[in-house]
Amino acid sequence: MIPTNLSEFGTLVLYLVLIGTAYTFAVSLAAGRGRPRLLVAARSSILGTCALIALATFALAYAFQTHDFRIRYVARYSDRSMPWYYLVTSLWGGQDGSLLWWLFILGGYTTACVVWLRNRYQQLQPYIIATIAAIMAFFTVMMLFAANPFAMSVSGAPADGEGLNPLLQNYWMVIHPPNLYMGMIGPTIPFAFVIAALVTGRLNEEWIYAVRTWAIVAWMFLSTGNLLGSIWAYEELGWGGYWAWDPVENASFMPWLTATAFLHSVMIQERRGMLKVWNVSLVIITFLMTIFGTFLTRSGLIASVHSFARSDLGSYFLVFLGIAIVFCIVLVVVRLPKLRSESRLDSVLSREFAFMVNNWILLGSMLFVAGATTYPLISELIRGEPVSVGPAFYNKWMAPLGLILLFLTGVGPLIAWRKATGKNLLRAFAIPAGSGLLVGVLHLVFGDAIGFPAVVPGEDIYDTTVGRALAGIASVLPLVAFSLCGFVVATVTQEFVQGVRTRMKSTKENPALALVNLVRKARRRYGGYVVHIGIVLMFIGWTGGVYGSKTEASLDRGERMRVHDYDIRYDNASERVDPNKRMTFANVTVFRDGREVGRLHPAKFQYRTHPESPTTEVDILTSARDDLYVVLGAIDRETGRATLRAHFNPLVVWIWIGGLVLLLGTAISAFPSVTEVLAWLERGSPDRGRSRKTTVAAVAGALVVLGVLGWAAASRADDSSSLHAGHVEIHNDEEHRLFDQLNCMCGTCARLSLSTCACGWAEEGRAEVRRMLASGMSVGEIRGTWRGRHGAKALTVPEDKGIDRIIYVVPIAAIAAGAVGVGLLARKWLRRSAVANAAEAKASTPAAGGSEDRRIDDELSRMLEDDK
């Protein structure tokens, strides 16, 4: 049948994609089972399938540009007033198109991978291609039978479309969703290599070197996507924060944690031939977590501000996850004999053991986030009543875990491989530990004077023994955090200084040249150190959040409000109109210590296609010390009176600066230098494999990002759920703490507390809670009354009683079990090492001077370790 419109044409192309993936899968398996000549056909077939995916994507983009409202997806996510770049980015504005966009980016990764592979890893290639083809087939089947972006509107083409969600028409959304998709899809390539290595039994370091850069690139995009999402939430949603532990945020954070664990543990396998099973498992888990996170957001089973409506896609994802998990477990079990470690742990005072502890915390954090994210669903399945797990719960548990990781960030580089002696440890730790202690003392002495006290009151959000313990820990976290930041910065500085000195001594180079060559010779190591500095800067910004404050006031023209040491004068209101929206501004002047320091213009935008949902456009006065974050609640058109909310957010800018430093470090680690690129292009590099691989990965990533930057703002979710219009009025800190613990139960908002939801129901709820406070009821009594009226879901944090106690016990038990596991594994390896060392000592006597030579070699290796 010849297609007569874009709907039929696009659907036909999707069927051709499905046929292409099936053919590629079959031919690839045949090539791997003794018919190598078919590998050329498999490569050509997968590239042709990627071209068909691109054709389907361009067809949908053309439908948006031509306003083909016969296609249901086009009608729902565009309208005639939208500029061309919004029409392009509407491709991934909803569920159906986002699946096609996912497939398109996977096609880009696949094309880059197949082109790079060429004549490399020919034994692995058939199964790499077959794995990717199977994943492509899964997403194609979902589109064809559950979420077809080319489906026709049953009622015919409307005169105009519904338009894009106004909340998503923000310049940060130009690059946030594409980066996040690149990060979520990137782990597919390392996963395909691991499956190929397991199937063929080629489980030496071959696959490790092959996937290393692909893993770094995926991690970079995951980091960038999460960072840009935080900026978007901070500037667009108007609640004053940047991370709310929403299920969609958690969906991308979980694979980031496991990918980070892999990038550290893989160094142990490269250096010592250890943790082979663990590294294979981490690559598999990272890929599965991307699918699991996508399941959470696409199924609609978990309440989220960003989630899609409940659909049939959840069953598809569950079936795929089940098959993948069983298949991977079988492969790993079958190949266990080939995954035995080549070396043993010589001492717990070694870099290997520090990385193992690092992996334990990272995996424990991932399991905690996964458990807390899915607990509402588990609760509903077990007892038929959902609960809500709000940001306060995550923050209380994740802050200590994050500080442990920060500590390990500083410890790892200071400990030698194999075994560190007490003398070497003291020498290595002296300056970093002293620096951390000095920062802590300075914080204690001067913290109050500069507005950042070392100890802050901890809040017991649970009213239980656990809650009081966590509150006590939280009270000293700022002091611990800043001290650890000083410790890590001193560690990284010491590593650079010692490396430069060693190189200057051996090569007679000047300091600048020695630094450049040091980094060039060991890009992955020193790029990683730069990443650690970025993490430190981000921790400084996160820690500043404990000192934040806010206030709200209704002001007539000329009146003032005060937050922290800022005075804000409301001058007047103004209004502008363009073809797409009406914009209402409150013009304010900001003073500090009696001097004018800036003018801000927070606003409300009312879009033509969504008049019932005006967006909040905040304005921010940024400095190195703090952000003054001003939100317009409402303006009375008759009197001109404005309701404003002002947040004092200390040190936030360091989060964004830290993110840039992190990306710089990642680029140093992953991408080749200009000299290497030119050598590869002209005559081939001495390190051809790594240089070409990193070049292809860099070029592919850059082309995708630059292509998206030429378009415009995009959606990271369906507009079935959005923030309510209006403003939230909170009179004091006691109300704010209480409203944070109670959810709005209007039935249309998702996971919004009374402190953030602006709907009419929430306003009535706040009035009711105020009456309870006025009558003398305690916080616990109010919380119990609210739960009794509206159910367990009405509380932002589950109570520490009954079945809900699981969510408090399981994190502790899981982390403790992980610690026991690491300890038992370390003890097992130490015993084997002791036996082997005794046998070696008995069999041979080392030559004179051998131990000194080994010490020198180890020291030089530690200081000037080069990438393999």
Side-chain angles (χ1 to χ4, degrees):
M1 183 183 70
I2 299 176
T4 59
N5 53 56
L6 274 177
S7 175
E8 294 178 358
F9 175 78
T11 302
L12 175 61
V13 173
L14 289 181
Y15 274 109
L16 292 176
V17 169
L18 183 59
I19 294 171
T21 56
Y23 174 77
T24 302
F25 182 77
V27 172
S28 298
L29 290 183
R33 295 178 65 84
R35 302 179 66 182
R37 292 187 177 182
L38 290 177
L39 181 58
V40 175
R43 290 168 53 88
S44 300
S45 178
I46 194 69
L47 291 175
T49 301
C50 292
L52 287 172
I53 293 170
L55 178 61
T57 306
F58 295 145
L60 187 59
Y62 180 76
F64 274 106
Q65 295 295 331
T66 58
H67 306 299
D68 192 346
F69 297 135
R70 293 173 297 177
I71 298 176
R72 182 177 60 201
Y73 185 77
V74 175
R76 187 171 184 185
Y77 293 99
S78 68
D79 64 74
R80 297 185 183 276
S81 68
M82 290 172 57
W84 69 271
Y85 44 86
Y86 280 123
L87 294 173
V88 171
T89 56
S90 293
L91 274 170
W92 55 88
Q95 183 152 260
D96 304 352
S98 68
L99 294 176
L100 181 59
W101 183 249
W102 185 292
L103 201 58
F104 176 71
I105 292 181
L106 179 56
Y109 268 116
T110 302
T111 301
C113 180
V114 171
V115 170
W116 166 70
L117 279 171
R118 197 173 301 176
N119 295 321
R120 301 181 184 90
Y121 307 107
Q122 292 194 16
Q123 292 82 4
L124 299 181
Q125 272 198 51
Y127 299 102
I128 293 171
I129 294 173
T131 302
I132 295 174
I135 296 168
M136 285 181 169
F138 163 66
F139 279 94
T140 307
V141 166
M142 276 199 303
M143 281 191 290
L144 284 171
F145 300 106
N148 187 353
F150 294 99
M152 293 282 285
S153 297
V154 177
S155 57
D160 200 358
E162 299 177 22
L164 194 63
N165 188 335
L167 282 174
L168 304 172
Q169 298 185 34
N170 177 275
Y171 52 88
W172 287 113
M173 298 301 285
V174 173
I175 52 177
H176 159 53
N179 270 274
L180 200 55
Y181 276 102
M182 290 286 290
M184 293 290 282
I185 299 165
T188 303
I189 304 301
F191 174 75
F193 271 92
V194 164
I195 295 300
L198 288 170
V199 171
T200 60
R202 299 176 65 88
L203 290 164
N204 51 21
E205 278 64 41
E206 179 183 39
W207 75 269
I208 286 288
Y209 300 143
V211 307
R212 192 168 63 187
T213 300
W214 295 103
I216 293 176
V217 168
W219 184 88
M220 178 189 72
F221 280 114
L222 267 176
S223 303
T224 307
N226 284 322
L227 181 69
L228 293 174
S230 297
I231 297 174
W232 170 78
Y234 187 61
E235 293 193 358
E236 181 66 17
L237 297 185
W239 58 282
Y242 40 79
W243 190 268
W245 297 104
D246 185 87
V248 170
E249 296 169 333
N250 296 345
S252 58
F253 183 55
M254 290 185 288
W256 184 90
L257 290 169
T258 54
T260 303
F262 171 73
L263 292 177
H264 286 81
S265 67
V266 72
M267 288 186 280
I268 302 178
Q269 182 171 342
E270 293 175 3
R271 180 77 181 227
R272 301 293 312 282
M274 300 167 60
L275 297 182
K276 291 184 177 181
V277 176
W278 181 241
N279 284 321
V280 165
S281 300
L282 280 177
V283 173
I284 292 172
I285 292 171
T286 300
F287 170 75
L288 293 178
M289 291 311 299
T290 64
I291 301 298
F292 178 69
T294 309
F295 155 73
L296 288 181
T297 57
R298 294 307 190 274
S299 65
L301 295 175
I302 302 292
S304 163
V305 172
H306 312 286
S307 65
F308 295 90
R310 192 171 291 234
S311 70
D312 296 331
L313 291 184
S315 58
Y316 286 84
F317 278 105
L318 284 178
V319 170
F320 180 79
L321 276 172
I323 294 173
I325 290 171
V326 172
F327 180 69
C328 292
I329 290 175
V330 170
L331 277 180
V332 172
V333 171
V334 169
R335 296 302 184 187
L336 277 178
K338 292 192 174 184
L339 291 170
R340 296 187 182 278
S341 296
E342 300 171 6
S343 302
R344 299 163 298 273
L345 184 69
D346 294 321
S347 171
V348 294
L349 293 177
S350 63
R351 192 173 300 185
E352 296 95 310
F353 187 74
F355 281 175
M356 289 171 62
V357 176
N358 161 281
N359 271 226
W360 159 54
I361 297 296
L362 284 167
L363 190 67
S365 299
M366 186 276 290
L367 292 174
F368 167 77
V369 174
T373 303
T374 57
Y375 185 70
L377 180 59
I378 295 172
S379 174
E380 187 172 10
L381 291 174
I382 293 176
R383 63 183 181 184
E385 183 182 19
V387 298
S388 179
V389 182
F393 179 82
Y394 290 93
N395 291 335
K396 292 297 182 182
W397 288 95
M398 288 299 293
L401 293 176
L403 291 179
I404 294 174
L405 286 173
L406 183 61
F407 171 70
L408 293 172
T409 299
V411 168
L414 299 177
I415 304 179
W417 292 101
R418 298 176 64 92
K419 184 177 182 180
T421 64
K423 182 179 179 180
N424 286 340
L425 280 178
L426 287 175
R427 183 171 65 248
F429 273 85
I431 293 177
S435 300
L437 182 62
L438 176 62
V439 171
V441 171
L442 292 175
H443 191 196
L444 281 169
V445 174
F446 298 107
D448 288 330
I450 62 176
F452 298 139
V455 179
V456 297
E459 181 183 353
D460 178 9
I461 63 171
Y462 309 114
D463 196 23
T464 63
T465 302
V466 173
R468 285 186 286 274
L470 289 174
I473 295 173
S475 65
V476 298
L477 286 184
L479 174 62
V480 175
F482 286 126
S483 299
L484 289 178
C485 287
F487 170 67
V488 176
V489 169
T491 294
V492 173
T493 303
Q494 177 175 277
E495 289 294 298
F496 272 98
V497 169
Q498 289 181 351
V500 168
R501 284 178 176 174
T502 302
R503 187 167 183 87
M504 289 173 61
K505 185 176 181 180
S506 61
T507 64
K508 309 304 180 183
E509 295 173 342
N510 63 57
L513 184 59
L515 176 62
V516 171
N517 287 329
L518 179 73
V519 175
R520 183 176 61 85
K521 285 288 187 180
R523 290 198 312 270
R524 192 155 60 103
R525 177 181 182 179
Y526 289 98
Y529 289 159
V530 175
V531 169
H532 289 176
I533 292 296
I535 295 293
V536 167
L537 295 177
M538 297 175 81
F539 262 95
I540 290 173
W542 293 330
T543 305
V546 303
Y547 304 111
S549 60
K550 67 178 180 180
T551 188
E552 182 169 354
S554 294
L555 305 176
D556 287 321
R557 295 183 182 91
E559 290 186 336
R560 299 191 180 199
M561 62 187 296
R562 186 173 181 83
V563 58
H564 198 67
D565 56 353
Y566 288 104
D567 285 309
I568 302 169
R569 184 186 69 201
Y570 170 50
D571 297 326
N572 54 58
S574 60
E575 191 172 277
R576 284 186 290 175
V577 179
D578 67 20
N580 197 29
K581 60 186 177 294
R582 178 186 298 274
M583 299 165 282
T584 303
F585 296 88
N587 304 306
V588 302
T589 304
V590 180
F591 300 88
R592 183 179 174 192
D593 299 328
R595 295 185 300 105
E596 180 180 329
V597 293
R599 298 190 177 189
L600 300 177
H601 311 279
K604 288 284 188 182
F605 288 1
Q606 188 173 35
Y607 286 78
R608 181 183 64 82
T609 55
H610 296 78
E612 75 288 351
S613 301
T615 62
T616 298
E617 306 297 325
V618 307
D619 206 357
I620 305 171
L621 184 65
T622 298
S623 67
R625 187 196 73 154
D626 58 66
D627 278 5
L628 176 63
Y629 180 103
V630 182
V631 184
L632 172 62
I635 291 181
D636 189 314
R637 291 185 175 275
E638 295 183 359
T639 64
R641 188 175 181 84
T643 300
L644 298 171
R645 186 172 73 252
H647 297 254
F648 172 72
N649 294 335
L651 305 177
V652 170
V653 71
W654 295 103
I655 299 176
W656 322 134
I657 295 174
L660 292 175
V661 174
L662 180 147
L663 294 179
L664 173 63
T666 308
I668 293 172
S669 298
F671 299 150
S673 65
V674 174
T675 303
E676 289 172 317
V677 173
L678 293 176
W680 179 77
L681 291 174
E682 293 177 1
R683 62 184 182 279
S685 167
D687 190 2
R688 295 170 65 95
R690 183 182 67 194
S691 202
R692 290 188 178 186
K693 174 180 62 178
T694 52
T695 300
V696 171
V699 170
L703 287 177
V704 172
V705 173
L706 290 176
V708 172
L709 283 172
W711 298 341
S715 164
R716 84 184 204 177
D718 192 299
D719 65 353
S720 60
S721 173
S722 63
L723 299 180
H724 291 289
H727 71 281
V728 177
E729 186 174 345
I730 300 177
H731 298 153
N732 51 56
D733 290 340
E734 181 184 20
E735 284 189 1
H736 185 269
R737 286 193 295 269
L738 183 53
F739 293 159
D740 266 343
Q741 301 178 40
L742 308 178
N743 277 327
C744 172
M745 302 301 295
C746 66
T748 58
C749 66
R751 298 183 75 251
L752 295 181
S753 68
L754 292 183
S755 63
T756 57
C757 188
C759 72
W761 196 100
E763 185 57 38
E764 293 177 2
R766 286 188 287 272
E768 181 182 0
V769 172
R770 289 188 182 103
R771 288 192 292 271
M772 294 183 194
L773 281 171
S775 69
M777 293 177 65
S778 67
V779 170
E781 291 172 337
I782 295 174
R783 196 166 51 215
T785 300
W786 196 259
R787 186 190 190 282
R789 291 182 183 177
H790 306 292
K793 194 177 181 180
L795 302 181
T796 59
V797 176
E799 293 183 305
D800 185 14
K801 61 177 65 173
I803 193 173
D804 288 335
R805 186 159 289 174
I806 293 174
I807 200 172
Y808 299 94
V809 174
V810 169
I812 299 175
I815 294 173
V820 172
V822 170
L824 291 176
L825 183 62
R827 187 176 69 171
K828 178 181 177 181
W829 279 346
L830 286 173
R831 286 179 175 177
R832 289 181 179 178
S833 179
V835 172
N837 290 339
E840 292 172 1
K842 186 176 181 180
S844 61
T845 302
S851 60
E852 179 64 16
D853 290 342
R854 178 177 174 180
R855 185 192 67 78
I856 295 174
D857 288 345
D858 285 347
E859 183 69 15
L860 289 175
S861 177
R862 178 177 178 273
M863 298 310 306
L864 295 172
E865 177 189 1
D866 198 357
D867 288 335
K868 291 187 178 181

